[in-house]
């Protein structure tokens, strides 16, 4: 039965071929597959730099390094002894890189977050076994959004005296503004910002001292939200605020109007005053409320004939 023997031989060869293609078997030599052309992403966003071995096999036990050309001694990411080093040697990438490829399937792709303009350029993917190593280079382009706008409330927003309020402001279209500069200031007072975020950090104290300890940036910057929270509202906080977002490529501004509601209701002032006769037909009384706001009331004096003196009593009005 020659045919049967031939079939058995074919089956045996298939088993051998399957064994040779076992992804868990480490070959003596291999190459790397990366993107042929430049890959691009928006400023402030995230990007995955693809890199994998060919033929496909598990690289869990191999050494993987990502670095910029001419900076082999300061790697961006290094995987060795089956673990990723805690911090990259290149400080500018600290907290922004991660190995996202499936190592058991031969992928050593790297993710880079919060892209900056300094991230533009070439990257080297390096994989090393006990007997072989390969490296491949790819190019990254970081695109700056040419145009964007700011979204803020159309009308005034309000909150009670002494409470807090959030001034909404976000970019449109939505993108990460982590590498951008963000400022909030009062209308016509750009040199006295009450909040400044720049170079990926908040300034410690606002230039306008009256807002010290009362303002904070509450929006998630990586989602394009630069909203500001203002606490312990006073009547002096009423007015127009400017939201500013910009970088070296341009900037946008938008205005938010804030109203502070005084919920104290009526203010009553009682007083007696001895008043000598004069040509004045009325008397006025002014009362200062919080933040030096003043209200004025006028009355016509009552003439007491027996004493020929005028007496003023009880002035009541709304605050």
């Amino acid at each position: 039965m020659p045919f049967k023997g031939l079939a058995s031989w074919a089956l045996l060869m298939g088993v051998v071929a399957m064994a040779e293609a076992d992804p868990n078997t480490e070959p003596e030599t291999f190459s790397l597959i990366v993107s042929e052309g430049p890959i691009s992403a928006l400023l402030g966003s995230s990007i995955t730099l693809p890199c994998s071995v060919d033929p496909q096999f598990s690289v869990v036990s191999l050494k993987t390094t990502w670095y910029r050309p001419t900076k082999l001694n300061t790697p961006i990411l290094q995987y060795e002894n089956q673990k990723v080093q805690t911090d990259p040697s290149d400080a500018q990438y600290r907290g922004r890189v991660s190995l996202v490829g499936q190592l058991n399937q031969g992928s050593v792709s790297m993710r880079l977050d919060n892209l900056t303009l300094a991230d533009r350029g070439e990257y080297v993917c390096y994989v090393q076994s006990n007997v072989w190593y390969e490296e491949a280079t790819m190019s990254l382009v970081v695109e700056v959004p040419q145009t964007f706008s700011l979204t803020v409330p159309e009308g005034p927003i309000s909150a009670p005296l002494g409470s807090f309020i959030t001034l909404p402001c976000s970019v449109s279209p939505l993108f990460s503004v982590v590498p951008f500069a963000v400022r909030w200031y009062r209308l016509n007072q750009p040199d006295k910002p009450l909040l400044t975020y720049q170079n990926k950090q908040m300034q410690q104290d606002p230039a306008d001292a009256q807002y010290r300890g009362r303002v904070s940036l509450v929006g998630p910057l990586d989602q394009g939200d630069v909203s500001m929270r203002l606490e312990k509202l006073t009547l002096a906080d009423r007015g127009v605020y400017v939201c500013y977002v910009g970088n070296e490529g341009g900037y946008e501004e938008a205005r938010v109007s804030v109203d502070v509601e005084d919920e104290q209701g009526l203010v009553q002032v009682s007083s007696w005053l001895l008043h000598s006769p004069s040509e004045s037909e009325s008397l006025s009384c002014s009362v200062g409320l919080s933040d030096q706001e003043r209200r004025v009331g006028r009355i016509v004096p009552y003439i007491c004939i027996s004493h020929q003196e005028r007496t003023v009593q009880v002035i009541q009005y709304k605050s």
Side-chain angles (χ1 to χ4, degrees), residues 24 26 68 70 75 79 84 102 141 149 157 159 168 198 212 215 229 246 265 281 307-308:
N24 294 318
E26 181 181 316
R68 300 298 293 266
T70 72
Y79 171 87
V84 178
Q102 294 180 302
V141 176
S149 60
I157 58 175
Q198 197 163 9
R212 191 162 298 159
V215 292
R229 177 182 170 115
E281 296 181 354
H307 294 88
Q308 292 298 314

Side-chain angles (χ1 to χ4, degrees), residues 51-286:
C51 182
S52 59
V53 295
D54 184 36
Q56 179 181 320
F57 65 94
S58 174
V59 293
V60 171
S61 61
L62 276 60
K63 176 182 178 180
T64 297
T65 305
W66 282 89
Y67 61 93
R68 300 298 293 266
T70 72
K71 292 186 177 182
L72 176 60
N73 295 326
T74 55
I76 299 168
L77 183 149
Q78 189 161 336
Y79 171 87
E80 192 172 11
N81 299 323
Q82 300 190 23
K83 63 181 180 180
V84 178
Q85 70 174 20
T86 304
D87 292 313
S89 299
D90 196 329
Q92 82 174 65
Y93 295 97
R94 193 161 295 160
R96 299 198 297 128
V97 292
S98 55
L99 200 59
V100 295
Q102 294 180 302
L103 298 177
N104 61 349
Q105 296 183 24
S107 176
V108 293
S109 300
M110 179 184 72
R111 177 186 171 99
L112 177 56
D113 296 320
N114 299 328
L115 290 176
T116 70
L117 293 179
D119 294 331
R120 294 178 294 187
E122 294 185 332
Y123 291 78
V124 179
C125 173
Y126 173 96
V127 179
Q128 176 185 332
S129 68
N130 291 328
V131 296
W132 191 262
Y133 77 88
E134 278 292 341
E135 59 185 15
T137 303
M138 70 189 69
S139 182
L140 172 63
V141 176
V142 178
E143 300 175 346
V144 179
Q146 297 301 313
T147 60
F148 66 91
S149 60
L150 297 180
T151 302
V152 296
E154 293 183 359
I157 58 175
S158 61
L161 182 70
S163 67
F164 70 88
I165 193 169
T166 297
L167 283 63
C169 183
S170 60
V171 296
S172 178
L174 292 177
F175 60 90
S176 174
V177 293
V178 171
F180 282 63
V182 176
R183 287 198 298 273
W184 282 89
Y185 57 89
R186 299 298 296 265
L187 184 63
N188 300 324
Q189 297 182 27
D191 296 331
K192 294 178 60 180
L194 47 108
L195 182 150
T196 300
Y197 168 87
Q198 197 163 9
N199 298 324
K200 300 183 180 180
Q201 61 183 1
M202 292 287 302
Q203 74 168 25
Q204 294 301 314
D205 294 313
D208 196 330
Q210 74 175 10
Y211 294 97
R212 191 162 298 159
R214 298 200 296 129
V215 292
S216 57
L217 206 55
V218 295
L221 297 178
D222 60 348
Q223 299 179 30
D225 190 343
V226 295
S227 300
M228 179 186 71
R229 177 182 170 115
L230 175 57
E231 301 183 14
K232 300 177 182 177
L233 289 174
T234 69
L235 293 179
D237 292 331
R238 294 179 299 186
V240 179
Y241 294 76
V242 178
C243 172
Y244 168 100
V245 179
N247 63 6
E248 56 268 33
Y251 70 92
E252 282 292 334
E253 295 179 330
R255 299 177 181 180
V256 180
S257 182
V258 173
D259 187 23
V260 178
E261 302 170 348
D262 188 349
E263 293 187 337
Q264 295 181 358
L266 295 177
V267 175
Q268 179 171 301
V269 178
S270 298
S271 176
W272 291 91
L273 173 68
L274 294 179
H275 176 67
S276 300
S278 69
E279 295 180 355
S280 175
E281 296 181 354
S282 64
L283 295 176
S284 63
C285 176
S286 64

